[in-house]
Amino acid sequence: MQQLTIVKYGAAREAYELQEVSQPEPEPHQVLVKVEGFGLNYADVMARNGLYKEAPKIPFVPGYEIVGLVTGKGAGVPDKFLGKRVVAFTRFGGYADFGLADHRAIAILPEDIPGGEACALATQYCTAYYMTDYQSRLHAGEIALIHACAGGVGTALTQLCKRRGVKVVGLCSSPRKMEYLEKMGVDFRVNYKDVNYSEVIEKEFGKRKMDLIFNTVAGKSFKDDLKLLSHGGRMFCFGGAARSGQKAHVFNDLAFLLKTGFISPLFMMMKSQGIIGVNMLRIADHRIDIIGHCLHALVDLWEKKEIHPQVGATFKAKDLAAAHELLESGNSTGKVYVNW
């Protein structure tokens, strides 16, 4: 089998090596999937640059989600999965033409769902659904601020919020992405490269009017967002994009932490606010059943046409470096998908 392995940290064109290795054997609760394609996530970029603390040490194969055909299974896996096309959460190892996944974190797919859309469900839509429908409950009339709104998770959050009657305030970084957000039905769009987003939002809506904030950036934006969060509001923190672009070094880590700041639960209690950290790898490690619950619910929503994953770009596996460069550039929208 073939796999794309990170052999050194740094630029995409130097970090990866295509390797021939033996096909893995599924362990108990695992299925073996013949992979047709896999998705990219910004955590892959962070891992390639040595900035993702959850990643294994190099050399390792990244990748959180795959789409393909189940060709083998270990003990404890129901027979119903054999021969079925599935989407699977892999927790690394997805950049390969055969992959292993826990059967509790896979879902059988409708025949007509494209590979890229299916891959979007596994990590990006699961992350969004976990925040909007599992950890929390959305209420019609609320206002949600979504960082990186044109990205994969941002797209998913937008659709999941809109289906519940939540008004969406979306942040993005270019005129082209502003057009994308308009097509997505985002109610109030802000290019944060041109203006101070917190000032613009406060001017439009007033002080402390964001009922929900989905922050994938951290750093200084966390402090700015706290000033926008309403009494009774909830902020979800699920990324650290502000740390990207810097070398892996303890001083850079400390500076990042200081910019993000520290909060006391007492101050949160006074405003009846909630700060929720989201790490889907930890959920996969300790509550794999939650991943499966979210995946099955999302496949059902796709079949009902209540969600519409957007695939912004598709690449061949041999062009993985170009796919990574697009994602890292900040110019991608929706899902970036790679097939074999």
Side-chain angles (χ1 to χ4, degrees), residues 3-11 14-17 19 43-62 92 248:
Q3 64 183 29
L4 289 150
T5 305
I6 296 178
V7 295
K8 62 182 292 188
Y9 295 129
E14 301 172 357
Y16 287 102
E17 182 179 288
Q19 299 176 336
D44 301 350
V45 173
M46 299 286 281
R48 194 197 75 229
N49 287 310
L51 299 174
Y52 194 52
K53 304 303 182 184
E54 307 288 351
K57 293 182 179 180
I58 55 174
F60 75 95
V61 180
F92 301 110

Side-chain angles (χ1 to χ4, degrees), residues 165-293:
V166 173
K167 180 178 289 188
V168 173
V169 177
L171 303 185
C172 66
S173 60
S174 71
R176 186 173 69 87
K177 289 186 176 183
M178 290 284 279
E179 293 177 3
Y180 177 82
L181 296 191
E182 184 176 9
K183 291 177 181 177
M184 289 289 295
V186 173
D187 300 282
F188 188 74
R189 304 168 293 280
V190 181
N191 182 344
Y192 66 84
K193 291 289 184 71
D194 292 342
V195 297
N196 182 313
Y197 76 84
S198 57
E199 291 180 359
V200 170
I201 290 171
E202 188 171 299
K203 183 178 179 180
E204 177 70 18
F205 295 95
K207 293 184 177 181
R208 296 201 175 281
K209 292 298 184 181
M210 298 297 106
D211 302 295
L212 300 149
I213 297 179
F214 299 96
N215 187 310
T216 186
V217 182
K220 181 179 179 296
S221 72
F222 178 80
K223 294 179 180 178
D224 293 336
D225 285 0
L226 272 181
K227 297 174 183 178
L228 296 171
L229 190 63
S230 70
H231 289 74
R234 295 91 74 201
M235 187 192 305
F236 295 86
C237 301
F238 61 103
R243 181 66 179 82
S244 185
Q246 300 174 322
K247 292 183 178 180
H249 195 282
V250 65
F251 290 117
N252 288 333
D253 290 341
L254 287 172
F256 178 59
L257 286 172
L258 289 172
K259 285 180 181 178
T260 300
F262 301 92
I263 58 172
S264 166
L266 295 177
F267 292 123
M268 306 310 295
M269 181 180 66
M270 293 300 291
K271 299 183 182 70
S272 193
Q273 294 172 329
I275 306 295
I276 303 172
V278 175
N279 183 331
M280 297 308 284
L281 287 185
R282 285 289 172 258
I283 297 299
D285 287 340
H286 301 287
R287 289 295 307 276
I288 192 70
D289 56 300
I290 292 177
I291 302 291
H293 169 86

